Amino acid sequence: MRILTTCIYCGCGCGLYLESESGKIVGSYPSRNHPVSKGALCVKGWNAYEFINSPDRLTVPLVKSSDNFKESGWNEALNLVSEKLLQIKEEYGPDSLAFLSSAKTTNEENFLMMKLARAVFKTNNIDHCARLCHASTVVGLAATFGSGAMTNSINEFEKADLFLVTGSDTTEQHPLIGSRIINAVVDRGAELIVVDPRRIELTKYANIFMQQDNGTDVAWINGMMNVIIKERLYDQKYVEERTENFAELKEMVKDYPPEKVEKITKIPKNLLIQAARLYAQTKKAMILYSMGITQHTTGTDNVKSLANLAMLTGHVGLPSTGVNPLRGQNNVQGACDLGALPNVFSGYQKVGDKAVRDKFERAWKVESLPADPGLTVTEIFKKAKEGKIKGLYIMGENPALSDPDLTQVRKALEKLEFLVIQDIFMSETAEYADVVLPAASFAEKDGTFTNTERRVQRIRKAIEPKGKSKPDWQILSEIGKRCGYSGIEYQDPSQIMDEIASLTPIYGGISYERLEPFGLQWPCPAKEHPGTPYLHKDKFAKGKGSFIPCPYVAPDELPDEEYNFALSTGRVYWHWHTGTMSRRTSLLDREVPGAYVEMHPADAEQLKIKEGEKVEVSSRRGEIELAVKLTKKVKEGSLFIPFHVREAAANVLTNPAIDPIAKIPEYKICAAKVEKI
Amino acid sequence: MKKLHNSHPPPYPLPSREGKIGEGVFVIPCTVKKDRVKDLLITASEEWDAFVPWKGPEEDVQFVKLPDEKRKNFLDRLSLEDGAPLIPPKTVIFPQLESLFEFEEGKIKEMIPSPTKKLLFGLRACDVKAILFVDDFFKRNFEDIYYLNRTMNKLLVLVGCKTPPRDCFCTSTKTGPFLPVPRSLGEVGKEGFDLQLVDIGKKYLVEVGSEKGKEFIGNYQDFFEEASKKDVELSKAMKKKAEEAVTLKIDFEKAIKNFCEDKISQIIYEKIAERCIYCGGCLYICPTCTCFNIFDGKKGDRGKRSRNWDACVFEGYTREASGHNPRAEKWLRTSRRYEHKLKYNYLTTGMSGCVGCGRCLATCPVNLGMSKLIQEVTK
Amino acid sequence: MKNEYLPHPARIESIQRESFDTQTFKVIFVDEKLAKSFNYKPGQFMEISLLGMGEAPISITSSPSRKGCLEFTIRAMGKLTRAINQLKRGNVLYLRGPYGNSFSLEEVKGKDLYFIAGGIGLPPLRSVINTVFDKRENFGKVKILYGAKTPDELCFKEELKVWQKFPNTELLLTVDTQDKDWKGNVGVVTTLWEKTAMDGNQAIACVCGPPIMIRFVVQKLLESQFKEKNIHISLERYMKCGLGKCGHCNIGGKFVCIDGPVFTYSQIKELPAKEHVL
């Protein structure tokens, strides 16, 4: 049997068919008609069938007793979880609990997780890994445009005349968007500007490649705006009619002439001028960015600056334009949309707004939903270490490998009084758990994911859950019921979607029926609304677009004499995050079997290090051992480490310093040193 | 086999009359009415696992098994007149993931698929040729018991393409849209199809390619009628029209020649390798690609050894445990992919590894494919 | 039809340490019938596995002329071979095969034989060498040229002494890096050419070792008048099935697993040079 579902890996949201034979998944193939995949998949999609069958899957609940996990029945495990969580709530107050939802689970499950946290446990301490990837996008674009999502659609790449790609290794991380850029440039002659500290694959196709020093993004963006304003290349009509605060921007970017920007960023001024002119003068120009922009202490400023640049040139609110954050996880857009965030309910409705709370209280038949924003991921671990968070419930996340400064995260996990993990595999984090609940995989349940272009699409159950595992939504509902709340019972995820639609204006017109076959793009406020391919048409979501000028601020930690390299972390094409799925896929694990650090050959020569040699990379926070890969992809004086591998976890090294507004950590630059072993 | 009841009186005379050598066919063709095809499939599926091209709710054509229940409803979306399915019928005979054996406490339990009877109905000519190619491969040297068990009792029913997908070029590879009907006993079974259906309006002309095909008609004779002279004439016109509908023409013979004479420059491979994003799709989806990986999985002392599709474009495909890799450079893997199909397959078997289905281009995220390469090397 | 993918358990009877990362395992099939009927030819290999850890092709190093003896020399390189090297006497590993062609000794009766090996390349040749020594009278001169990185990494240290004592036989050893006890030649294996006469007329050469070594040795052999068809080379490739099916070891139109692993140099020259065969 073959059933169409949505890929579990990245935010592209490719449609893929899962084939089952006698209750087992035996293949995954592309769909010719799917609007994103269009007959293609990347290597991860083509191999998405394998990990589902892994013998490592969690199949029974596990309860820890005297440092060992013992298999348990569902009833016993669920009772224990609900009793323990209630007890902590009683003893220490609701805000001693925290919940981490998951960008890998469905919209329905994220909604239930936040409902559980808010309606049952009365805390807003709910967050998820978006904090670590695009929190700055959500905040930055909401402030400037009024909506924190990708403005345009994937298929609009096929008609764009210019791409400004920055902080996104698109071919590696969003292969089916990267391929569209390659095709546009090679087959259609579209222009490509790449701004990245690394010589990424796309630079091969770039008309202009600006290799800035890591962490200097605000400076070059301001520099481009300086040129555009000075040369009067901006869209004066657009600025006048559709935006506010231009005068302030104009004043601020005066401080960023190309000469000065060259000093800060190392981008030759002529190149910057050329890029500014090209971007300003091309009508269908799209900005694409990703974690290279967001994962900085100035992440929010970086995002706002890109938004400023796009508004200045009139590149928002039209097809094949816009500011396009490429969301990482398959459903990180959805997890944000559904309110798995400490300050908003679903649809970004603020918890501080009484009318909103009243609406949810009425619908959920509960009283006194908490009004103060809760803690973010980064704060949750800080408070846990301080002993202020006592109980933590983590669904489908692996912070013991994915969060910055792992040594501290692991200490926090140890300190917890009670930790529940709900996952499909025994993760690094699960080892710290008191109870491990086995979840069904994406192939074993119904639901929806929302991809990077806001397309809400179905995932469909192809086989029964493995062993005794259950879909996350059923587990969450069971916990809620056991805590004495009956408003959390559903027969089917479609009922949850109906509830979502009734409470969430941007999802208001969405139902399972309407999602056939390939989904709808939000905002979709009403039953007859066709969905929205691009945002801010005629008018910004917040009315007038706001220029928010941001001065350049240096990264929190820069290379110095002792730690003389600028270390950046990220992903590679073959793997996914902490490798729980991709490292259980024989082909992917074969292609990139272990950890490595990318280093420029000139640096290696100085240190007398050869290709493949083992080295110790250390930062002020820890050290790891791994092999050296020599490549000119990184600049001299820079290092890059993929963070997938538990044996050499890059996040032991990373800096937990956070953006003051979005609370996103600075994964993209810290100071490190390299020593031969 | 149990005799099935049918409301239609059996047509007469039976169409399986032996043709005489010299009449130009080995069995006189017959016809089946289009509105009887569904019933034929439902009846046949009592005895056979039937696989058919089926258009799902997404309008994607899939070659999938007729389910055990609600067959009539399912067959409402039978798709005999659209182009070939993107995912080739290879999935039926050589699945992407297949278990070889299970083990527990050191004891091994084989997991050989049962040799069920499989009716592959509605195959395109390119896919019939591909199955013939793969059959030959898995029987050569060592016989592959997993493949053979899956396929030993199969019957291939070809339905010629009326509307070929725009990427395919079977008239250039001489693998379609129709295959030649055996004209002498020596040719019986050679083309790979057991039956070949030609759309002639309200019915299909049924041409017989093998003894198995003839037997099938005999077993389900209620569904078949004798073909008139007009039917045969119509079928000839249809075939001609179908051939003309394949508009992508490439010089395949010249390409093979150039490949065999090593006339392909490294620059061509480098250009392709440069653009390739290494999804493996062109090989996974190729109906003649058979490469696989073998891998183990276990938990405690229980586990399984399996095999799954692999592809020669991947760096790890030839990397040895020592780290040495004879095909470390990208262009070498690209050249391997094309030379295997267009040179070595041809030199060792006389059949090229390309059947002109065009799927590699259809699935390529960066618009690379066999036809484009061939155009390039025959310029 | 036989299921060629099914491995058969074999018990480790003894383990001989060869160097810091290499050991020779003597094994016997658990199934007595199979142990009795099992047959192979020198130069062939088997797929060895541990259940749950995967399979690897390993040359048989014992000689079929010595019945009831099946040996493999295994160097800890990858995940599987590292695990095998942790095994103890009495442990079970899983075998299928034998696969591949062999060094054909029938055709070379009466001729002079030159064996040239580097590092872990000696184990496959040992199978031929012992077969030859077991019918010593059938062959002419025998010369064995063997090099390793260090003295420790020379395999079969005791057996080398035995080989030396056969009549009309010469054994020449060399190492890349010597230690304090080493008194022999230092340098790559081709430096041994200076130590002995290499006469390729009417002689047969069998070569096995790392690709770069083979390349230089073949050069030298040709200079010493060996005919291309008389140079037999055992190739290595990443392999999965051993049956000519999985495709990994395919070079040009040949499968190393079924058309090889032993190729003559004239056959190798027919393979596409860009595939870095040597």
Side-chain angles (χ1 to χ4, degrees):
Chain A
M1 219 188 51
R2 213 172 276 185
I3 196 155
L4 183 77
T5 190
T6 305
C7 182
I8 188 69
Y9 282 105
C10 80
C12 284
C14 291
L16 62 80
Y17 285 98
L18 285 179
E19 174 130 86
S20 59
E21 192 181 87
S22 347
K24 212 187 86 178
I25 299 293
V26 295
S28 57
Y29 326 118
S31 152
R32 199 197 281 265
N33 291 322
H34 190 276
V36 179
S37 34
K38 292 191 170 171
L41 287 173
C42 79
V43 71
K44 293 188 288 292
W46 272 108
N47 286 281
Y49 58 89
E50 195 182 314
F51 75 86
I52 301 162
N53 302 311
S54 168
D56 282 350
R57 281 282 303 277
L58 288 167
T59 53
V60 279
L62 302 172
V63 173
K64 201 181 265 171
S65 69
S66 56
D67 283 346
N68 275 317
F69 282 117
K70 289 217 168 66
E71 295 193 353
S72 136
W74 268 109
N75 216 7
E76 184 193 337
L78 291 168
N79 283 342
L80 177 65
V81 170
S82 39
E83 280 162 22
K84 207 59 203 170
L85 292 177
L86 282 177
Q87 187 196 326
I88 292 174
K89 182 188 164 211
E90 285 306 307
E91 207 166 312
Y92 306 102
D95 289 338
S96 61
L97 290 172
F99 297 80
L100 292 186
S101 200
S102 171
K104 291 234 92 55
T105 60
T106 64
N107 286 327
E108 293 75 5
E109 288 157 350
N110 276 286
F111 184 81
L112 284 202
M113 189 63 153
M114 78 113 180
K115 186 170 177 179
L116 188 71
R118 293 187 162 121
V120 180
F121 294 102
K122 300 288 161 60
T123 179
N124 280 326
N125 290 344
I126 173 163
D127 204 4
H128 71 284
C129 71
R131 184 67 47 205
L132 311 174
C133 64
H134 271 294
S136 25
T137 294
V138 175
V139 177
L141 293 186
T144 45
F145 297 164
S147 172
M150 176 163 164
T151 56
N152 291 59
S153 292
I154 292 172
N155 281 324
E156 291 173 34
F157 289 76
E158 293 170 13
K159 300 229 164 78
D161 294 323
L162 181 144
F163 306 95
L164 194 169
V165 179
T166 180
S168 154
D169 194 351
T170 323
T171 52
E172 301 263 321
Q173 309 311 344
H174 297 87
L176 266 69
I177 293 176
S179 63
R180 280 170 166 86
I181 298 175
I182 294 176
N183 296 342
V185 173
V186 180
D187 298 341
R188 271 197 304 112
E191 312 269 356
L192 174 63
I193 302 170
V194 175
V195 194
D196 204 297
R198 293 171 76 221
R199 189 173 280 280
I200 58 169
E201 177 84 4
L202 275 182
T203 57
K204 288 197 315 207
Y205 303 92
N207 306 76
I208 297 176
F209 170 43
M210 305 198 287
Q211 197 168 16
Q212 85 278 34
D213 266 4
N214 203 337
T216 61
D217 299 291
V218 167
W220 69 259
I221 303 167
N222 282 347
M224 275 179 73
M225 290 193 282
N226 175 295
V227 175
I228 290 167
I229 295 175
K230 199 172 131 206
E231 300 189 5
R232 301 190 71 80
L233 296 174
Y234 63 99
D235 189 334
Q236 294 173 37
K237 186 162 172 268
Y238 186 95
V239 166
E240 220 162 88
E241 285 171 7
R242 298 199 48 187
T243 69
E244 59 191 20
N245 224 13
F246 174 64
E248 254 182 71
L249 179 83
K250 191 174 168 186
E251 193 52 36
M252 199 274 307
V253 301
K254 264 190 195 153
D255 267 354
Y256 293 86
E259 298 73 25
K260 181 176 168 189
V261 170
E262 177 167 347
K263 279 201 189 105
I264 302 172
T265 64
K266 309 269 166 22
I267 296 172
K269 66 172 190 190
N270 289 337
L271 215 51
L272 187 83
I273 294 170
Q274 210 187 323
R277 289 176 186 158
L278 193 59
Y279 175 73
Q281 291 174 323
T282 310
K283 275 218 168 100
K284 290 187 170 175
M286 302 182 84
I287 294 176
L288 284 79
Y289 73 88
S290 205
M291 252 116 280
I293 284 292
T294 60
Q295 288 179 336
H296 285 285
T297 42
T298 58
T300 308
D301 288 352
N302 293 349
V303 172
K304 286 174 181 166
S305 301
L306 287 174
N308 291 343
L309 175 64
M311 285 189 291
L312 182 66
T313 46
H315 287 156
V316 189
L318 296 162
S320 301
T321 63
V323 178
N324 297 284
L326 303 180
R327 306 301 302 258
Q329 295 280 14
N330 57 314
N331 196 35
V332 67
Q333 184 65 53
C336 291
D337 295 347
L338 275 306
L341 296 170
N343 59 336
V344 288
F345 290 99
S346 57
Y348 307 95
Q349 303 174 82
K350 296 210 159 67
V351 293
D353 184 333
K354 179 149 193 318
V356 169
R357 285 202 310 280
D358 284 349
K359 177 171 86 172
F360 278 91
E361 281 171 6
R362 273 197 310 278
W364 289 350
K365 300 191 174 65
V366 291
E367 283 168 5
S368 53
L369 287 172
D372 294 330
L375 299 173
T376 61
V377 171
T378 30
E379 291 163 336
I380 286 169
F381 285 107
K382 201 163 151 254
K383 295 271 181 195
K385 220 184 94 201
E386 289 166 8
K388 286 181 187 143
I389 292 287
K390 304 280 184 191
L392 180 58
Y393 192 133
I394 303 180
M395 166 169 81
E397 288 204 346
N398 190 9
L401 203 52
S402 65
D403 287 23
D405 197 1
L406 289 184
T407 318
Q408 300 307 317
V409 171
R410 289 171 185 175
K411 273 188 191 152
L413 289 169
E414 267 170 21
K415 187 95 193 241
L416 288 166
E417 209 173 292
F418 191 62
L419 174 63
V420 186
I421 296 288
Q422 188 167 308
D423 212 322
I424 63 171
F425 289 113
M426 192 73 195
S427 65
E428 288 73 13
T429 313
E431 285 157 22
Y432 295 86
D434 296 280
V435 180
V436 179
L437 302 174
S441 77
F442 82 116
E444 297 151 358
K445 62 187 179 186
D446 285 308
T448 58
F449 291 159
T450 304
N451 78 348
T452 188
E453 56 168 1
R454 300 167 276 104
R455 183 183 297 279
V456 185
Q457 36 184 1
R458 282 294 313 279
I459 66 162
R460 296 175 181 86
K461 182 173 168 179
I463 51 167
E464 288 302 318
K466 187 146 174 157
K468 288 182 180 152
S469 66
K470 286 178 192 286
D472 294 279
W473 64 270
Q474 280 181 11
I475 303 173
L476 296 173
S477 158
E478 284 292 330
I479 302 278
K481 277 194 291 189
R482 273 158 222 262
C483 292
Y485 178 54
S486 61
I488 196 161
E489 279 181 61
Y490 307 88
Q491 300 302 310
D492 182 283
S494 72
Q495 295 174 331
I496 308 175
M497 182 50 87
D498 293 341
E499 182 175 327
I500 292 170
S502 72
L503 287 166
T504 315
I506 54 172
Y507 279 61
I510 289 174
S511 66
Y512 276 22
E513 220 168 55
R514 286 201 67 204
L515 291 178
E516 296 297 337
F518 300 127
L520 284 167
Q521 286 175 276
W522 69 256
C524 177
K527 286 270 170 269
E528 52 288 342
H529 193 285
T532 311
Y534 62 93
L535 304 176
H536 317 301
K537 190 184 176 203
D538 304 325
K539 185 169 152 274
F540 279 95
K542 68 189 285 283
K544 280 204 166 184
S546 306
F547 286 111
I548 306 179
C550 306
Y552 165 71
V553 180
D556 180 72
E557 188 184 72
L558 283 170
D560 52 25
E561 261 181 32
E562 193 187 357
Y563 294 95
N564 54 343
F565 281 96
L567 167 69
S568 178
T569 62
R571 299 198 309 246
V572 297
Y573 174 57
W574 308 95
H575 281 294
W576 191 256
H577 284 71
T578 63
T580 45
M581 301 182 304
S582 61
R583 296 195 78 200
R584 285 183 176 88
T585 300
S586 52
L587 182 120
L588 302 176
D589 197 42
R590 177 188 78 195
E591 290 304 307
V592 177
Y596 61 85
V597 51
E598 289 182 2
M599 182 187 255
H600 194 281
D603 290 330
E605 208 184 309
Q606 268 207 333
L607 292 166
K608 299 196 169 51
I609 292 169
K610 286 200 273 302
E611 166 80 26
E613 207 172 323
K614 276 239 167 165
V615 294
E616 183 187 273
V617 180
S618 56
S619 77
R620 288 190 174 82
R621 292 153 293 276
E623 66 284 317
I624 55 174
E625 282 181 20
L626 68 184
V628 166
K629 186 173 174 180
L630 298 183
T631 169
K632 289 184 177 158
K633 205 171 170 181
V634 289
K635 269 187 168 187
E636 281 179 53
S638 294
L639 304 170
F640 175 81
I641 304 178
F643 74 94
H644 312 291
V645 183
R646 67 182 295 172
E647 302 89 283
N651 282 320
V652 165
L653 309 174
T654 45
N655 186 358
I658 52 176
D659 176 292
I661 311 168
K663 312 281 166 75
I664 190 168
E666 190 148 60
Y667 286 103
K668 286 293 184 258
I669 180 166
C670 73
K673 67 179 174 194
V674 180
E675 284 160 306
K676 280 179 77 148
I677 300 172
Chain B
M1 187 197 128
K2 109 182 143 193
K3 176 80 184 149
L4 291 142
H5 296 287
N6 205 290
S7 52
H8 295 266
Y12 193 79
L14 289 181
S16 59
R17 179 166 70 86
E18 297 273 341
K20 285 198 202 87
I21 304 305
E23 267 181 63
V25 284
F26 122 88
V27 171
I28 303 285
C30 56
T31 62
V32 58
K33 286 203 179 89
K34 279 188 181 173
D35 58 15
R36 300 271 286 141
V37 167
K38 257 194 236 177
D39 287 336
L40 168 63
L41 284 167
I42 288 168
T43 308
S45 66
E46 305 261 323
E47 195 185 347
W48 300 80
D49 283 346
F51 295 82
V52 295
W54 179 79
K55 204 181 234 180
E58 305 84 15
E59 302 286 301
D60 286 321
V61 182
Q62 310 276 358
F63 197 79
V64 286
K65 193 176 160 197
L66 193 59
D68 295 337
E69 284 159 16
K70 295 188 183 161
R71 291 174 185 163
K72 253 206 160 74
N73 286 346
F74 187 85
L75 286 170
D76 285 343
R77 300 191 67 96
L78 178 69
S79 167
L80 293 176
E81 305 200 0
D82 303 284
L86 179 67
I87 309 306
K90 180 167 86 174
T91 54
V92 178
I93 59 174
F94 176 51
Q96 192 171 13
L97 173 67
E98 181 167 38
S99 306
L100 298 176
F101 58 80
E102 286 179 321
F103 52 84
E104 188 170 0
E105 289 172 0
K107 292 265 175 324
I108 290 172
K109 193 179 137 218
E110 336 179 53
M111 297 173 81
I112 297 181
S114 62
T116 48
K117 290 178 79 170
K118 294 184 178 67
L119 171 65
L120 277 66
F121 191 95
L123 294 167
R124 304 296 159 180
C126 52
D127 286 332
V128 170
K129 282 306 212 190
I131 291 171
L132 196 67
F133 181 96
V134 175
D135 266 357
D136 175 65
F137 174 77
F138 276 114
K139 283 179 195 158
R140 215 183 306 150
N141 304 314
F142 289 96
E143 292 185 319
D144 189 295
I145 191 168
Y146 294 87
Y147 179 85
L148 288 175
N149 265 35
R150 272 184 198 274
T151 56
M152 60 171 62
N153 293 312
K154 66 181 181 308
L155 191 91
L156 308 184
V157 181
L158 189 166
V159 179
C161 271
K162 240 169 71 175
T163 45
R166 62 170 183 179
D167 296 322
C168 63
F169 47 95
C170 63
T171 51
S172 304
T173 48
K174 303 207 165 49
T175 49
F178 288 89
L179 297 177
V181 178
R183 298 168 68 86
S184 67
L185 284 174
E187 288 175 358
V188 172
K190 268 206 155 157
E191 288 294 330
F193 69 87
D194 297 300
L195 296 173
Q196 171 163 272
L197 272 54
V198 191
D199 188 333
I200 50 169
K202 289 199 168 134
K203 48 191 178 175
Y204 292 103
L205 184 84
V206 185
E207 297 172 322
V208 182
S210 72
E211 287 293 342
K212 272 195 298 184
K214 194 170 98 181
E215 196 184 313
F216 183 86
I217 292 182
N219 285 342
Y220 300 97
Q221 52 186 253
D222 295 359
F223 293 91
F224 297 96
E225 294 166 35
E226 198 169 20
S228 68
K229 265 213 167 102
K230 201 181 138 213
D231 293 337
V232 176
E233 286 310 311
L234 257 175
S235 78
K236 283 181 186 159
M238 280 308 302
K239 284 184 183 179
K240 195 154 173 282
K241 228 171 116 183
E243 234 167 83
E244 283 161 4
V246 183
T247 49
L248 179 54
K249 305 277 180 203
I250 54 172
D251 196 343
F252 195 71
E253 265 173 47
K254 189 171 165 196
I256 296 261
K257 192 163 170 282
N258 286 348
F259 268 92
C260 290
E261 292 171 4
D262 286 323
K263 284 185 179 158
I264 316 301
S265 93
Q266 185 173 329
I267 298 164
I268 289 181
Y269 295 133
E270 283 170 344
K271 242 171 77 185
I272 296 171
E274 185 83 357
R275 186 163 172 171
C276 173
I277 65 161
Y278 297 89
C279 67
C282 53
L283 301 164
Y284 290 142
I285 211 165
C286 176
T288 68
C289 268
T290 48
C291 285
F292 58 84
N293 188 19
I294 298 177
F295 66 96
D296 288 10
K298 70 165 180 175
K299 190 174 196 177
D301 57 13
R302 283 180 64 172
K304 201 186 266 185
R305 183 164 294 167
S306 316
R307 68 174 174 191
N308 61 348
W309 292 354
D310 203 344
C312 58
V313 291
F314 296 124
E315 192 265 337
Y317 181 83
T318 47
R319 193 201 313 121
E320 290 156 28
S322 65
H324 171 73
N325 191 349
R327 278 186 224 136
E329 292 161 82
K330 287 178 178 177
W331 73 270
L332 283 170
R333 273 122 64 191
T334 305
S335 96
R336 170 70 205 164
R337 173 219 184 309
Y338 288 109
E339 286 180 0
H340 187 208
K341 301 253 174 246
L342 298 180
K343 178 180 176 185
Y344 299 113
N345 277 332
Y346 181 76
L347 292 177
T348 38
T349 68
M351 284 187 271
S352 96
C354 175
V355 293
C357 69
R359 288 184 175 101
C360 48
L361 180 57
T363 199
C364 182
V366 286
N367 300 336
L368 301 167
M370 185 61 88
S371 56
K372 292 211 170 167
L373 171 94
I374 289 176
Q375 284 164 340
E376 176 94 24
V377 303
T378 54
K379 265 203 289 223
Chain C
M1 202 187 320
K2 193 178 159 206
N3 186 349
E4 279 292 344
Y5 294 91
L6 280 195
H8 304 278
R11 185 160 288 113
I12 298 173
E13 288 207 307
S14 64
I15 303 174
Q16 167 81 41
R17 180 154 290 281
E18 304 294 351
S19 74
F20 75 101
D21 65 353
T22 306
Q23 300 183 101
T24 298
F25 297 83
K26 184 175 178 189
V27 305
I28 183 159
F29 282 109
V30 172
D31 179 355
E32 281 175 33
K33 248 166 113 187
L34 179 60
K36 272 210 187 100
S37 64
F38 184 76
N39 236 319
Y40 62 94
K41 291 185 220 127
Q44 287 193 297
F45 67 93
M46 296 186 82
E47 288 285 348
I48 301 194
S49 62
L50 292 177
L51 300 183
M53 296 287 286
E55 280 186 313
I58 308 280
S59 300
I60 304 172
T61 185
S62 52
S63 162
S65 54
R66 299 175 189 182
K67 272 275 167 211
C69 177
L70 184 56
E71 291 173 341
F72 301 92
T73 302
I74 300 174
R75 182 175 186 180
M77 294 276 272
K79 197 175 82 176
L80 173 69
T81 48
R82 275 199 299 272
I84 292 176
N85 268 286
Q86 302 293 318
L87 296 179
K88 302 269 176 294
R89 193 169 158 248
N91 286 158
V92 169
L93 36 75
Y94 289 78
L95 307 179
R96 60 187 180 89
Y99 299 123
N101 64 0
S102 58
F103 291 99
S104 166
L105 289 172
E106 278 307 301
E107 297 159 24
V108 301
K109 269 189 187 165
K111 294 192 173 166
D112 294 346
L113 299 176
Y114 289 73
F115 296 96
I116 302 125
I120 196 77
L122 186 61
L125 294 188
R126 175 180 176 247
S127 180
V128 199
I129 292 170
N130 279 329
T131 311
V132 167
F133 284 151
D134 287 345
K135 288 253 165 78
R136 184 69 194 87
E137 63 283 7
N138 283 352
F139 304 93
K141 238 188 299 184
V142 171
K143 288 195 186 185
I144 302 166
L145 282 64
Y146 178 34
K149 275 190 189 150
T150 62
D152 172 61
E153 286 173 63
L154 290 166
C155 294
F156 317 120
K157 292 178 192 75
E158 290 309 308
E159 202 166 349
L160 294 176
K161 293 176 194 159
V162 179
W163 288 354
Q164 227 162 0
K165 292 181 186 141
F166 277 100
N168 205 8
T169 300
E170 213 177 317
L171 173 75
L172 295 109
L173 303 178
T174 185
V175 296
D176 294 347
T177 317
Q178 59 185 335
D179 60 13
K180 60 179 172 24
D181 299 326
W182 182 254
K183 295 192 182 65
N185 190 66
V186 178
V188 293
V189 85
T190 44
T191 61
L192 293 173
W193 253 253
E194 293 156 23
K195 311 274 168 186
T196 183
M198 302 289 287
D199 180 10
N201 277 316
Q202 300 305 310
I204 305 293
C206 299
V207 188
C208 189
I212 180 138
M213 178 215 102
I214 298 180
R215 208 179 316 145
F216 284 107
V217 165
V218 168
Q219 199 71 44
K220 279 282 189 189
L221 288 170
L222 292 173
E223 284 168 21
S224 308
Q225 311 306 316
F226 281 82
K227 294 197 179 69
E228 288 179 353
K229 68 173 172 49
N230 288 339
I231 302 173
H232 297 260
I233 298 162
S234 180
L235 286 184
E236 272 196 36
R237 270 294 184 279
Y238 183 59
M239 240 174 235
K240 279 292 176 183
C241 70
L243 306 165
K245 295 283 178 272
C246 74
H248 291 80
C249 70
N250 216 187
I251 310 176
K254 300 283 182 202
F255 290 94
V256 173
C257 65
I258 53 173
D259 299 312
V262 183
F263 293 91
T264 65
Y265 184 61
S266 32
Q267 287 171 327
I268 284 178
K269 272 178 64 188
E270 298 286 305
L271 298 174
K274 65 183 168 198
E275 294 250 0
H276 301 290
V277 183
L278 291 183

